[in-house]
Amino acid sequence: MLKVKTPKTAKAKRETEHRAPKLVENSKKTLILQGTKTSKVLNAVLTEIYHLKKDRAVRYTRKNDNIRPFESGGETSLEFFSLKTDCSLFVYGSHSKKRPDNIVIGRTFDHHIYDLVELGIENFKSMQSFSYDKKLTPRVGSKPLIVFIGEGFEKGTEGVEELKHLKEILLDLLRGEVVETLNLAGIDRAYVVTALSSNRVYFTHCGLRLKKSGTKLPRMELVEVGPSMDFVVRRHRLSNDSLRKQAMRTAPEQTKKKVKNVSQDEIQGKIGKIYIPDQKVGDMALPNKPKGLKRERREAKIKNEVNGHLSKKQK
């Protein structure tokens, strides 16, 4: 039987509550790590991805010799690192003669491997190789605009399964925090992903320049700020049906319980109705008998006697 340890410090309790399941989950963090052998190009690619995701990313620079995401038993260390860092996305880089400059992008559910896609890197250009106005440099943590160009990304029979899977993973990797409203002036970057063939994709990172257009909406210009590279889809693995069904489960909507005699008004706000029962003041017992009450009773008694005499005379 496993022993359940409870947090003993306030910091541990806060961290446990932060990692607990929620109706609205936290923004996803990305774990970036590498295998035993890498190349100069691959190290530069992992560094550039880390800079793009610097606000929500964890970078491991040590070599890991026992990570093989597509092999059974080779994902144990990867799942352990995911649990340790609380990351639901990962980018794993490796280099070999059979698969040079290779990266594996994957997602996890409950810190278990959910799905994977393996990409080869070609025609890589770093940020330093682009010259542009430094004022257009995207800010850390800003919300990006993501554009997918090509029929291969479309849903249905026209799309390619590998490219549709790659689109889902790139959206999770690059979108940042999920927000309900967005200020147009706060969008300062765009990721452009173009399908060149059924297994080749061109990826580039651009800055946005706002110019006057004569209307309320400004005209946008794309300025390439890097990095840019070609992705060659090599292997991909979808999630199994049982894990997908468990991951897609949503919590039931919690409807507010109706409160009686309470309504909302746009101008007056909350309006409530209060029920007050009959007080029956006339039947209440008074603590003392005031003089006015005695006089009223005396006059009423005299009046009743006079009425009684008049009724007798009439008979």
Side-chain angles (χ1 to χ4, degrees):
M1 183 177 180
L2 295 175
K3 183 179 180 181
V4 180
K5 293 183 178 181
T6 57
K8 297 181 180 180
T9 61
K11 183 178 180 181
K13 290 180 181 179
R14 289 195 299 268
E15 186 65 22
T16 304
E17 292 176 357
H18 179 74
R19 297 189 181 192
K22 305 178 182 64
L23 289 176
V24 180
E25 292 291 342
N26 304 325
S27 57
K28 297 182 178 180
K29 292 169 60 178
T30 305
L31 174 64
I32 303 172
L33 68 169
Q34 60 198 37
T36 54
K37 188 177 180 181
T38 58
S39 63
K40 185 178 180 180
V41 173
L42 189 59
N43 288 333
V45 170
L46 296 178
T47 304
E48 298 281 320
I49 295 176
Y50 173 70
H51 284 302
L52 294 177
K53 296 276 298 177
K54 197 169 185 178
D55 58 325
R56 302 293 297 175
V58 178
R59 176 78 162 98
Y60 280 1
T61 56
R62 291 185 177 182
K63 297 179 180 180
N64 301 276
D65 57 348
N66 53 355
I67 295 180
R68 296 174 181 83
F70 282 92
E71 298 179 9
S72 60
E75 69 275 3
T76 306
S77 297
L78 197 57
E79 292 176 350
F80 169 74
F81 290 140
S82 173
L83 177 62
K84 182 180 178 181
T85 57
D86 193 24
C87 293
S88 55
L89 291 162
F90 66 88
V91 180
Y92 173 73
S94 61
H95 179 74
S96 64
K97 186 177 180 180
K98 186 178 180 180
R99 295 185 178 89
D101 300 329
N102 191 70
I103 64 171
V104 178
I105 307 175
R107 297 180 289 184
T108 62
F109 172 73
D110 197 18
H111 304 296
H112 295 286
I113 301 297
Y114 181 74
D115 57 353
L116 300 167
V117 62
E118 187 179 55
L119 306 171
I121 305 298
E122 294 181 3
N123 304 325
F124 171 72
K125 293 182 181 179
S126 63
M127 294 182 183
Q128 287 76 17
S129 60
F130 294 91
S131 58
Y132 55 91
D133 187 3
K134 298 304 179 183
K135 294 181 180 179
L136 298 176
T137 304
R139 295 182 296 272
V140 176
S142 60
K143 190 72 174 175
L145 177 67
I146 306 175
V147 183
F148 290 91
I149 303 173
E151 294 182 355
F153 296 115
E154 298 295 331
K155 296 181 179 180
T157 57
E158 297 180 358
V160 181
E161 184 180 0
E162 291 84 354
L163 296 185
K164 290 189 291 184
H165 187 203
L166 177 62
K167 177 182 177 181
E168 293 179 3
I169 292 182
L170 289 180
L171 281 174
D172 262 358
L173 180 66
L174 303 173
R175 68 178 180 176
E177 295 187 8
V178 179
V179 295
E180 296 181 358
T181 57
L182 188 65
N183 187 3
L184 182 61
I187 304 176
D188 58 356
R189 69 172 72 191
Y191 296 108
V192 182
V193 186
T194 307
L196 303 178
S197 64
S198 60
N199 67 336
R200 181 178 289 271
V201 168
Y202 174 69
F203 172 84
T204 185
H205 178 217
C206 300
L208 294 180
R209 178 185 292 164
L210 302 180
K211 287 194 172 184
K212 295 181 179 180
S213 62
T215 60
K216 292 182 179 180
L217 297 177
R219 181 169 60 89
M220 288 188 176
E221 288 186 357
L222 297 179
V223 179
E224 198 168 6
V225 298
S228 69
M229 66 197 85
D230 289 347
F231 289 149
V232 180
V233 183
R234 291 173 177 167
R235 290 184 292 177
H236 78 111
R237 189 180 76 188
L238 298 172
S239 60
N240 55 56
D241 295 336
S242 60
L243 188 61
R244 185 187 300 111
K245 185 177 180 181
Q246 188 178 0
M248 295 298 179
R249 186 184 304 167
T250 57
E253 297 182 0
Q254 293 183 350
T255 57
K256 291 184 178 179
K257 188 176 180 181
K258 187 177 179 181
V259 183
K260 293 183 177 180
N261 300 324
V262 176
S263 60
Q264 294 287 340
D265 187 76
E266 295 181 357
I267 300 175
Q268 299 180 358
K270 181 184 281 190
I271 301 175
K273 296 180 181 179
I274 301 175
Y275 172 72
I276 301 176
D278 189 8
Q279 300 295 316
K280 296 181 179 179
V281 180
D283 298 340
M284 292 177 62
L286 299 177
N288 52 8
K289 295 181 179 180
K291 296 181 179 179
L293 184 59
K294 293 179 180 179
R295 188 183 304 111
E296 291 178 358
R297 288 182 177 178
R298 195 183 308 116
E299 292 177 354
K301 186 178 180 181
I302 296 172
K303 187 176 180 181
N304 291 334
E305 291 178 354
V306 172
N307 293 335
H309 289 299
L310 290 176
S311 61
K312 289 179 180 180
K313 290 181 179 180
Q314 290 178 359
K315 290 179 180 180

